[in-house]
Amino acid sequence: MRPTVMMKAAMTLDGQLAAADGTSQWISSPEARQDSHRLRARVDAVMVGAGTLRADNPRLTVRLGDGSRSGRHQPIPVIVAGIGEVPSGAQVFERDVIVLTPAPLDLPGRVIQVPDPSRARVDLADGLDELGNLGIRQIMVEGGGALFRSLLDAGLVNRVVLYYGPLLAGGRGVPLFGGLWNTLEDAVPVRVVSVRRLGGSIRLDLSLAAR
């Protein structure tokens, strides 16, 4: 069974994930960040692209309250690799990691080859099917913008959680989605499930119809 996919992002009120120099800590409020960790605690896996791994070196762990991980459910880290470098010394590789890749890679953890027809990128649908075969039922995707766009274009996103921090970027840094929006008809319809305030941030929950 293919896992359900929840896309999660924190951004400014005008849709920027980070500034042009890559800085993004902290766009969202402390309350929103704790809420995000509670979301992590409820899913089986957390997925990021190799670009996010290179830029942020994330731990992808659940950290609540005092920051301790002991005794808490920790989701499986999943890395989506392309043809760029995947830093094997990243701190996430201290854990049991799954890497989806279009080509053989010598990396720690479980490496699963799922190339698309070009053999330069991961076939995300096949990759999700492989994760489902491993018993993963719920995945939270935390970045970056290229992976978000690829999953959205493929119709593989079921749910979106957006945290809007109390900031206006006032310009283009790193947007939520890359690429060009050509025409209104290309927009993806969503249903607004809920809107709520978390400290100075706003959490917006959306659902997407199957495509």
Side-chain angles (χ1 to χ4, degrees):
M1 179 187 297
R2 182 176 292 173
T4 59
V5 174
M6 174 174 60
M7 191 186 91
K8 187 275 292 183
M11 57 187 177
T12 64
L13 290 168
D14 47 350
Q16 302 301 302
L17 295 175
D21 66 357
T23 53
S24 62
Q25 295 183 338
W26 296 101
I27 285 177
S28 60
S29 66
E31 294 87 349
R33 296 196 294 275
Q34 284 293 289
D35 189 71
S36 174
H37 280 279
R38 286 190 285 270
L39 283 180
R40 275 188 190 172
R42 298 184 192 125
V43 298
D44 301 313
V46 176
M47 176 184 285
V48 297
T52 296
L53 194 68
R54 290 190 293 268
D56 299 339
N57 192 18
R59 285 180 283 179
L60 304 181
T61 54
V62 175
R63 301 183 300 280
L64 291 167
D66 60 3
S68 172
R69 293 187 296 159
S70 60
R72 301 192 188 281
H73 162 73
Q74 296 297 333
I76 299 167
V78 177
I79 310 301
V80 179
I83 58 175
E85 177 190 2
V86 179
S88 60
Q91 57 188 353
V92 75
F93 285 109
E94 297 171 2
R95 303 168 58 203
D96 293 329
V97 179
I98 298 173
V99 181
L100 303 180
T101 173
L105 285 176
D106 183 15
L107 289 170
R110 186 194 299 252
V111 177
I112 302 175
Q113 287 182 240
V114 278
D116 73 356
S118 74
R119 308 195 71 80
R121 300 178 63 185
V122 166
D123 186 307
L124 292 169
D126 287 350
L128 289 174
D129 288 340
E130 290 287 345
L131 296 176
N133 291 338
L134 296 175
I136 294 173
R137 295 290 173 258
Q138 294 180 307
I139 295 176
M140 184 160 71
V141 183
E142 297 202 19
L147 180 57
F148 289 157
R149 177 66 183 264
S150 296
L151 288 163
L152 191 71
D153 286 348
L156 297 172
V157 178
N158 305 104
R159 179 184 172 197
V160 178
V161 176
L162 300 175
Y163 295 99
Y164 288 93
L167 296 171
L168 287 172
R172 182 171 179 177
V174 180
L176 179 61
F177 297 111
L180 184 66
W181 182 28
N182 290 300
T183 179
L184 183 63
E185 292 181 356
D186 291 342
V188 178
V190 301
R191 182 173 67 88
V192 177
V193 177
S194 65
V195 181
R196 58 191 173 104
R197 186 169 177 173
L198 295 167
S201 295
I202 296 169
R203 172 174 162 172
L204 177 64
D205 285 63
L206 310 170
S207 66
L208 283 74
R211 293 160 59 194

